[in-house]
Amino acid sequence: MDLILWRHAEAVDGAPDAARKLTPKGVKQAQDIAHWLRARLPKQTRVIVSPAQRTVQTAKALTEDFEIVRELAPGATPVAVLAAARWPEHKGAVLVVGHQPDLGLLAAMLIAGKPMPWSIKKGALWWLSHRVRGEQAQVVLRAVISPDLL
């Protein structure tokens, strides 16, 4: 299974939090990462998105074919995100468009074995894979891409 963690792009400040929209810079960040993803995502990738406006806008830069998942709202626990993605049992790839610090905590848990406050930049993504070698489950970090590097 591939699990792609995509933090929403830059958004305006303000309230209510769930209604915050992307800035012009954020729109460009989302478009740049979406362009990079289109060339690499498996055809049947499942895309799940937090209900916040900024995550929906980020996902729409890539596709209109996504699921809004309440459990991915800001403050989601690593366990909740993994359950929503059906990690590691899901066959294929799942792209999660979510928030910080939620995604950073999840990346740390999968790679280092415990949630830690790792930072994922606005608009960036981390691509992880689950595999089994012998009888041992492993998490492989396949890519870390920030929009300012594209």
Side-chain angles (χ1 to χ4, degrees):
M1 174 184 181
D2 286 343
L3 181 65
I4 302 117
L5 307 176
W6 189 8
R7 182 181 177 188
H8 67 79
E10 182 182 273
V12 297
D13 292 329
D17 183 60
R20 294 173 45 215
K21 295 184 177 183
L22 297 183
T23 64
K25 178 181 179 181
V27 170
K28 178 156 180 12
Q29 289 173 333
Q31 290 170 343
D32 290 347
I33 291 294
H35 176 77
W36 186 89
L37 279 168
R38 271 189 212 98
R40 292 162 178 83
L41 278 180
K43 293 279 187 231
Q44 301 302 317
T45 298
R46 179 175 169 237
V47 180
I48 58 175
V49 180
S50 158
Q53 181 65 30
R54 60 196 180 274
T55 53
V56 169
Q57 283 184 281
T58 299
K60 281 185 177 183
L62 176 67
T63 184
E64 293 283 336
D65 186 18
F66 57 83
E67 304 165 49
I68 294 176
V69 178
R70 273 190 351 262
E71 293 78 13
L72 299 178
T77 66
V79 170
V81 177
L82 291 177
R86 298 189 289 249
W87 171 275
E89 294 81 21
H90 181 78
K91 301 297 181 214
V94 176
L95 171 63
V96 177
V97 185
H99 305 274
Q100 191 56 16
D102 313 344
L103 297 180
L105 292 167
L106 174 57
M109 187 174 94
L110 292 175
I111 295 168
K114 65 180 181 176
M116 294 183 280
W118 288 5
S119 181
I120 296 178
K121 289 183 71 163
K122 291 176 183 168
L125 68 85
W126 289 38
W127 189 319
L128 308 167
S129 290
H130 177 266
R131 69 179 183 192
V132 177
R133 290 284 194 244
E135 293 184 21
Q136 182 176 357
Q138 299 175 339
V139 175
V140 177
L141 179 59
R142 296 189 58 201
V144 175
I145 301 295
S146 179
D148 61 326
L149 295 177
L150 298 176

